[in-house]
Amino acid sequence: MSRTFTQGYTGAVVEYPNATHFAFVPAIFKITKIPANYDRLEMVISDRDSRLEYAEEREPLNGTAYFDIRRYLQLMFDSDTHEAIDYGKAFVDSPLKKTAHIAIYWYRNGQQEYLGTFGIDAIWGTISARESSGGIMRRKWFVRYPFTVDVFAKNGTSFDVLIDGKQSDIMFYNHDEDAEGATPYHRYLLNPARVIDPSTVTRSVHIAVPHSLVLKNDDEAVGMVGYTLDIDRSANGVYLRWIDQQGRYCYYLFKEIGSASTVSTSSTWERNDMNVPTAYIDGVNIETSVRQSLSRKKTRSLGAKLVDSETYDFLLTLAQSVVVDVFDGYDANDAPLWHRVNIVAGSYEKTTKHYQDFIFSIEEPAQSAQML
C-alpha cells in the first residue's frame, strides 16, 4: 500500500493500493484512527465501462477497518472480450486494463458522511515479490503472423528503435490523448509491423520506452521497459497466442509433435426401431435398439526445439495461462482468426543446460459425433 490519504478534520488515515494494481494481488484498504463516534463504514466500487457497482460495509474495531477489493477488480473483467484486438493499428488499448472508482462513506448517529474517493487502474494478472514489470524482455517476432507487445504510454511518450544493433532513423511517439483513469498512462498493445517494415531488418529490432510505468515490490515508478525482437520468418507450425501472468499478450510458433484422440460415450438410450432382429432390411441387419452419443477429444503435443534459458522461462508462462488461442489464418477482410484451447496440466523440468526442448500439450474443444 503505497498511497496514504488523511481526512482533514478527523485525522482518519486511509492506506490504499497504487494507482496501477494487478487484479489478482490483494488490494487492501486500511482505514485507521477512525473516531469512536463513527460506527460503520461503506465502500462503493464502480466500473464506468460496465456500469456495475458493488458495495461492502464494515464496523470499525479499535478504530480500524479493512477492505480487500481484489475480487471486485477481477469482476470488472467478467464480460471482457480478451480476443478483441485490432491488428491493423500501431496502438490499441489493451482490453486487460480497467479503472475502478472507489468511494468510502462512514456513518455517525445513522447519518452518512463522505470520507474520500480513490481511483485504481486494474491490470489483469498478478505479480510476485522480487518480480518486476519493467526491464528488457527478449521475444521472437514471427513476422508472418499477428504480433504485439505490451507497453505503457501517455501522450508524447517516445519510443527509441535500434535495428540490427544500430540506431535507427525511426523514432515514433504516441500522440493519443492521456488515459482518463487513475494515471495518464494507457496500457497499449503495440504492433511493431505498423511502424517498422520487417523486410528491412536482418536479425533483430530493439524497442525501448525510457519513461514507462514499472511495478515492483508494491512500488510504482517511472522506468525503462524494452523489447528485443529477434526476427523469425518461419511460415509453418502451430502459432499460439496467450495471456501471461502480468496480463501481457504473448506469441510463439511451435512444431506439432503428435496427437492423440479419445472417443467417449456421452449418453446411451433405447430406441424402438420396430425391427425384426433376424431379418436383413435394405441389406442391413439391426439386432440392437441401443443407440449412443459419442464425443471425441483431441490432444496435440507441441514443442519448441533447443530454446535458451530465457525463452524457456517465457514459454513456461504459457503452461499456466487460462487464455490460449490457436491461429487459424485470416478471414476475407484479412482479420486474424483464432480458436480457444486449454493447456494440459503437467510438470516441466528445467535443466542446467543452456539449450533444451520445451514440450507441452493442448486440448482441443470436444467434438460431438452425429446422433440419430
Side-chain angles (χ1 to χ4, degrees):
M1 295 176 287
S2 299
R3 297 189 287 175
T4 303
F5 166 79
T6 302
Q7 212 278 345
Y9 69 93
T10 65
V13 177
V14 181
E15 297 178 62
Y16 59 109
N18 291 307
T20 305
H21 187 84
F22 286 100
F24 289 87
V25 174
I28 299 173
F29 280 72
K30 179 182 178 182
I31 302 100
T32 57
K33 299 183 180 179
I34 302 172
N37 55 344
Y38 288 87
D39 56 8
R40 184 162 56 94
L41 290 92
E42 180 184 33
M43 176 177 285
V44 179
I45 304 103
S46 58
D47 173 19
R48 181 180 58 191
D49 294 337
S50 65
R51 299 182 181 180
L52 296 175
E53 188 174 279
Y54 309 96
E56 273 199 13
E57 293 186 355
R58 296 286 187 275
E59 292 183 2
L61 178 62
N62 298 326
T64 302
Y66 293 87
F67 294 87
D68 183 358
I69 67 167
R70 59 178 154 173
R71 184 55 183 154
Y72 302 111
L73 299 182
Q74 296 162 20
L75 286 171
M76 292 195 300
F77 299 96
D78 181 58
S79 59
D80 198 38
T81 52
H82 304 116
E83 64 276 6
I85 301 174
D86 185 355
Y87 288 94
K89 298 179 180 179
F91 291 98
V92 294
D93 280 294
S94 172
L96 301 180
K97 174 191 170 186
K98 301 288 184 180
T99 298
H101 299 277
I102 299 100
I104 302 179
Y105 304 91
W106 49 5
Y107 292 81
R108 177 174 56 172
N109 299 323
Q111 298 297 313
Q112 183 189 73
E113 297 181 16
Y114 171 72
L115 176 57
T117 300
F118 312 89
I120 294 178
D121 289 335
I123 305 295
W124 171 275
T126 184
I127 191 169
S128 303
R130 300 170 299 282
E131 182 183 355
S132 174
S133 66
I136 307 298
M137 290 163 277
R138 196 172 197 95
R139 299 286 188 267
K140 273 195 176 184
W141 179 8
F142 296 93
V143 297
R144 297 178 183 269
Y145 297 88
F147 182 79
T148 59
V149 293
D150 286 70
V151 294
F152 283 102
K154 59 181 180 179
N155 189 343
T157 297
S158 64
F159 294 77
D160 298 330
V161 179
L162 297 176
I163 295 181
D164 294 328
K166 298 179 181 179
Q167 186 68 45
S168 171
D169 294 335
I170 301 172
M171 176 180 282
F172 56 97
Y173 294 83
N174 173 54
H175 298 293
D176 291 345
E177 295 182 357
D178 287 346
E180 298 180 352
T183 76
Y185 286 87
H186 292 261
R187 175 73 176 257
Y188 281 124
L189 302 179
L190 167 63
N191 183 354
R194 295 300 167 184
V195 291
I196 302 168
D197 182 358
S199 66
T200 64
V201 183
T202 303
R203 299 183 308 276
S204 66
V205 173
H206 180 78
I207 300 175
V209 190
H211 306 290
S212 175
L213 277 183
V214 176
L215 306 174
K216 183 178 181 180
N217 297 336
D218 204 30
D219 289 329
E220 182 178 25
V222 175
M224 166 67 76
V225 173
Y227 289 91
T228 298
L229 307 177
D230 297 320
I231 299 296
D232 193 307
R233 307 186 194 278
S234 301
N236 297 310
V238 180
Y239 191 62
L240 297 189
R241 176 183 69 183
W242 70 95
I243 299 172
D244 73 2
Q245 73 274 11
Q246 289 191 19
R248 295 176 294 218
Y249 285 82
C250 303
Y251 307 82
Y252 207 86
L253 184 67
F254 297 94
K255 296 295 184 182
E256 183 155 7
I257 300 171
S259 64
S261 296
T262 301
V263 177
S264 58
T265 303
S266 55
S267 63
T268 60
W269 67 95
E270 292 280 343
R271 179 173 175 176
N272 184 9
D273 289 323
M274 299 299 292
N275 290 323
V276 179
T278 57
Y280 282 81
I281 301 174
D282 295 329
V284 178
N285 172 242
I286 303 176
E287 291 189 74
T288 177
S289 60
V290 176
R291 297 292 180 266
Q292 57 185 347
S293 173
L294 302 174
S295 63
R296 179 173 65 93
K297 185 176 291 186
K298 183 178 182 180
T299 301
R300 303 166 69 184
S301 296
L302 308 178
K305 190 174 181 62
L306 295 178
V307 299
D308 60 27
S309 177
E310 183 180 357
T311 303
Y312 193 95
D313 290 339
F314 164 65
L315 296 180
L316 271 178
T317 66
L318 166 63
Q320 62 189 69
S321 177
V322 296
V323 180
V324 181
D325 299 325
V326 176
F327 179 64
D328 293 331
Y330 296 90
D331 66 10
N333 298 315
D334 286 332
L337 300 173
W338 309 83
H339 75 272
R340 185 67 43 85
V341 296
N342 290 323
I343 295 293
V344 178
S347 60
Y348 300 83
E349 182 181 355
K350 183 180 180 182
T351 69
T352 57
K353 296 179 180 179
H354 187 64
Y355 295 99
Q356 71 175 99
D357 297 342
F358 182 85
I359 299 173
F360 67 102
S361 296
I362 59 173
E363 187 178 84
E364 294 281 357
Q367 301 295 319
S368 296
Q370 56 190 334
M371 295 183 295
L372 297 176

